[in-house]
Amino acid sequence: MIERGVEEVGRMQTAGLDNADRRALLVRMEVVRHKLFAYSHTWIADLVDQRGLDDIYGSVPEALSVLLRSSGSRAGQRIRLAMEFGERTSITGERLEPLSPNTLRGAEDGLINEEHQQIIRKFFWRLGSKVDIETREKAEAQLAELARQLSPDHLKAAASRLYDLIDPDGDDEDPTRVADRCYVQFDEQGADGLSRGKMVVDSELRAYIEAVFDKWAKPGQANPADPPPVVDPPDDADSGDDRPDQSSVPTDVTDDSQRAEGEPVNEEAAARARRDHRGKGRRQHDAMKMVFRQMLASGKLGMHRGLPVTAVLTMSVKDLEAASGHAVTATGSLVGMRDAIRMASHAYQCLVIFDNDERPLQLRRAKRLASPDQRIVLIAADRGCSFPGCTRPATWSQVHHIEEWAAGGNTDIEDLTFGCDRHHPLVGPKDTDWATTKAGPDHPYPGRTLWHSPTTLDPLRRGLLNHYHHPDEYIRPIPELPLFGPLDSTDTETNDPETNDPEPDNPGAARE
């Protein structure tokens, strides 16, 4: 009967269907496939438990590979998934839930696929016995909820953040022993003048290097094939402060955030980027060469998206006082609190004050609020692209006006957010575009940016948040509130205030 139903579906001709029906058919078949795969975990677990594979030669994985005509490694994966997500039977014959019951239920609903399940299984394999049963159950429920709404790539990133929250200090290892494993090493120079090297670096050095690469390893930057690059003019407005002069550092004129509102793109810079055929590794090599040369000569690194090229860290007062946990860099990396405190001891520091809902109140500096200061506030508040599920850090993002500047929008902190180069262009005035609004004071996350999907994805255009850059929210401080609202258009009633936001009246609906 199963085979006959599949054959009937396979004989269906899609040439006469419109694209909406083709998409619906493909999605429904994927849901069915995910359900069948979920059911198979219990079938395999029962076979193993009842010794149903003993009549086939070899080990259990070998026997399963023969039965299913799969590779040995694939059979091993199926067994590991069955042990985690398959139902079990006690010695007395009582039926028991799987180790990860919420994930299995999501898979049986067709919303959690095999890639999601592998990520969750590996999460608990790595976690081992570091936590108690209650913490494990809460983590599994949270991961299952995330898996229902996130793609596997985004779930992997979210799971990594959740792991760092559960085990913020990692293995309790002597910091000196950890530091002793860091090194930078070059082999002997070859006849062609090239040297092969390798390195293991700590989180502090990685934070510095990422900040440099974000600016100088972009196409068109520090390209040896180009003539000497243009230099930044002296910053007369800031000539009185103690920052280094920028006059001897190449200009990043391809960076949109460096241009004033309405200023045309520099055609020379665009041409430099187009004729740059270097790969990423070569660009990073040339960037490091340029930086070391400039550091030895003058120590000046220029500006990036309106801010000096530097490592920007945000941390909570609680973690700072406890000297535990992690700080988050503007590039999205995590820096251990001990390293963050050491970095801050010799940094140009500023203080951003937030209210209890993590909304920025003010920026304390010796000078009045200016564009670079607003970016610092946004880095501390948004930490990265605000598009739901996006993992791109602040240094990869543009400042986006919630209400378009041309339509009277203000360049105030409460009217700004971050959108990366991929998601920022998605915002537009049509129902088939994305739109952005700010959550109101009665929302569980007031002041945060809500993204409203096109009507083709969600006819109700319910607002969605990005929790990735705020990993504490993965612990669900509001138990009744799912992190992400369902996109099922048939679910027209819900008590979820995060997904019941009214359809946007086109605020933020035009491209910057």
Side-chain angles (χ1 to χ4, degrees):
M1 183 170 61
I2 297 177
E3 290 81 357
R4 186 164 60 250
V6 172
E7 289 172 358
E8 290 179 3
V9 174
R11 287 194 294 267
M12 183 182 299
Q13 294 295 322
T14 61
L17 302 178
D18 59 26
N19 285 330
D21 289 335
R22 293 190 189 101
R23 290 194 295 264
L25 175 63
L26 183 60
V27 170
R28 290 181 65 184
M29 290 302 100
E30 280 293 287
V31 168
V32 171
R33 190 168 68 87
H34 298 336
K35 288 183 175 183
L36 290 173
F37 188 75
Y39 299 146
S40 72
H41 296 327
T42 299
W43 303 338
I44 293 175
D46 286 342
L47 265 178
V48 174
D49 185 60
Q50 301 299 323
R51 310 183 70 87
L53 298 174
D54 288 0
D55 294 336
I56 306 175
Y57 68 87
S59 64
V60 170
E62 289 174 333
L64 187 62
S65 69
V66 172
L67 182 65
L68 300 183
R69 300 182 62 200
S70 66
S71 67
S73 61
R74 174 61 175 166
Q77 291 175 359
R78 297 291 299 272
I79 291 173
R80 287 189 290 271
L81 289 171
M83 296 301 102
E84 181 74 31
F85 304 113
E87 294 182 0
R88 299 165 294 157
T89 304
S90 69
I91 298 176
T92 61
E94 180 185 2
R95 205 62 166 163
L96 304 175
E97 282 193 329
L99 295 176
S100 300
N102 297 285
T103 304
L104 178 63
R105 283 191 284 271
E108 290 177 342
D109 289 340
L111 300 177
I112 298 179
N113 64 27
E114 181 181 356
E115 291 182 275
H116 294 111
Q117 296 166 41
Q118 290 283 14
I119 292 169
I120 294 173
R121 185 191 67 80
K122 291 177 181 178
F123 176 94
F124 289 111
W125 175 84
R126 179 187 175 196
L127 190 63
S129 58
K130 292 181 180 179
V131 297
D132 55 47
I133 295 177
E134 182 180 0
T135 301
R136 188 194 191 280
E137 290 175 348
K138 290 181 178 179
E140 192 272 329
Q142 187 61 57
L143 287 172
E145 185 175 329
L146 291 169
R148 285 174 173 266
Q149 300 296 336
L150 298 178
S151 69
D153 289 337
H154 289 151
L155 176 65
K156 185 176 182 180
S160 177
R161 289 300 178 96
L162 180 59
Y163 186 93
D164 289 328
L165 288 172
I166 294 175
D167 186 24
D169 297 320
D171 297 330
D172 188 13
E173 192 171 357
D174 182 0
T176 303
R177 293 182 60 188
V178 175
D180 286 343
R181 294 203 295 269
C182 299
Y183 66 90
V184 176
Q185 179 178 316
F186 287 98
D187 296 338
E188 292 186 9
Q189 191 173 24
D192 55 3
L194 299 180
S195 301
R196 184 179 297 275
K198 53 186 176 180
M199 62 182 180
V200 174
V201 302
D202 61 16
S203 58
E204 180 179 353
L205 179 53
R206 178 178 178 132
Y208 296 148
I209 292 175
E210 285 180 333
V212 171
F213 281 171
D214 275 330
K215 178 181 175 74
W216 299 114
K218 295 194 299 185
Q221 295 295 324
N223 188 353
D226 282 338
V230 184
V231 297
D232 284 335
D235 190 350
D236 295 332
D238 287 332
S239 58
D241 67 23
D242 57 359
R243 289 184 299 173
D245 180 23
Q246 308 296 322
S247 58
S248 64
V249 184
T251 304
D252 186 5
V253 288
T254 62
D255 193 339
D256 290 341
S257 65
Q258 302 275 353
R259 294 184 289 110
E261 189 80 30
E263 182 180 342
V265 176
N266 187 297
E267 295 298 336
E268 180 184 354
R272 287 208 312 268
R274 286 194 297 269
R275 65 174 177 261
D276 189 350
H277 302 297
R278 296 172 299 164
K280 181 179 179 180
R282 169 73 188 282
R283 295 199 308 269
Q284 290 182 346
H285 167 272
D286 293 341
M288 291 186 68
K289 181 168 62 175
M290 186 282 301
V291 167
F292 280 114
R293 182 175 65 241
Q294 291 290 342
M295 286 292 294
L296 289 172
S298 63
K300 301 166 186 175
L301 296 180
M303 306 285 288
H304 174 54
R305 292 192 183 268
L307 291 176
V309 176
T310 186
V312 179
L313 284 80
T314 60
M315 63 189 77
S316 70
V317 174
K318 181 178 66 175
D319 287 346
L320 180 61
E321 291 176 343
S324 178
H326 296 83
V328 183
T329 72
T331 56
S333 297
L334 299 179
V335 179
M337 193 54 60
R338 294 189 186 94
D339 293 333
I341 293 172
R342 184 170 64 254
M343 293 168 68
S345 66
H346 51 77
Y348 180 72
Q349 301 168 7
C350 63
L351 175 66
V352 184
I353 306 297
F354 293 87
D355 63 14
N356 291 333
D357 296 314
E358 296 190 1
R359 289 177 295 185
L361 297 178
Q362 56 183 308
L363 173 68
R364 294 192 181 274
R365 285 284 298 277
K367 297 180 291 186
R368 66 181 177 83
L369 196 68
S371 179
D373 295 332
Q374 287 178 320
R375 287 194 64 88
I376 291 177
V377 174
L378 280 180
I379 287 174
D382 283 358
R383 304 180 184 177
C385 177
S386 59
F387 184 87
C390 183
T391 63
R392 291 174 177 80
T395 54
W396 292 16
S397 302
Q398 305 174 28
V399 175
H400 165 65
H401 287 78
I402 297 296
E403 184 175 357
E404 186 193 5
W405 172 266
N410 297 319
T411 309
D412 297 329
I413 288 299
E414 59 268 21
D415 297 320
L416 302 176
T417 191
F418 274 138
C420 70
D421 296 341
R422 175 180 295 180
H423 294 124
H424 185 242
L426 298 179
V427 180
K430 301 177 182 178
D431 289 343
T432 53
D433 295 323
W434 286 80
T436 54
T437 61
K438 284 287 186 178
D442 296 331
H443 192 277
Y445 299 99
R448 294 281 294 282
T449 302
L450 301 173
W451 286 73
H452 303 267
S453 61
T455 54
T456 52
L457 292 179
D458 180 13
L460 299 181
R461 306 198 76 183
R462 292 163 285 196
L464 298 175
L465 286 171
N466 186 5
H467 298 274
Y468 173 80
H469 302 291
H470 304 266
D472 288 342
E473 294 171 4
Y474 286 136
I475 303 301
R476 260 196 301 187
I478 306 174
E480 310 81 30
L481 180 64
L483 287 178
F484 297 89
L487 292 179
D488 183 0
S489 61
T490 61
D491 183 16
T492 57
E493 295 186 5
T494 176
N495 294 322
D496 181 0
E498 180 170 320
T499 59
N500 268 342
D501 292 291
E503 183 173 337
D505 295 327
N506 274 348
R511 290 181 174 85
E512 292 296 318

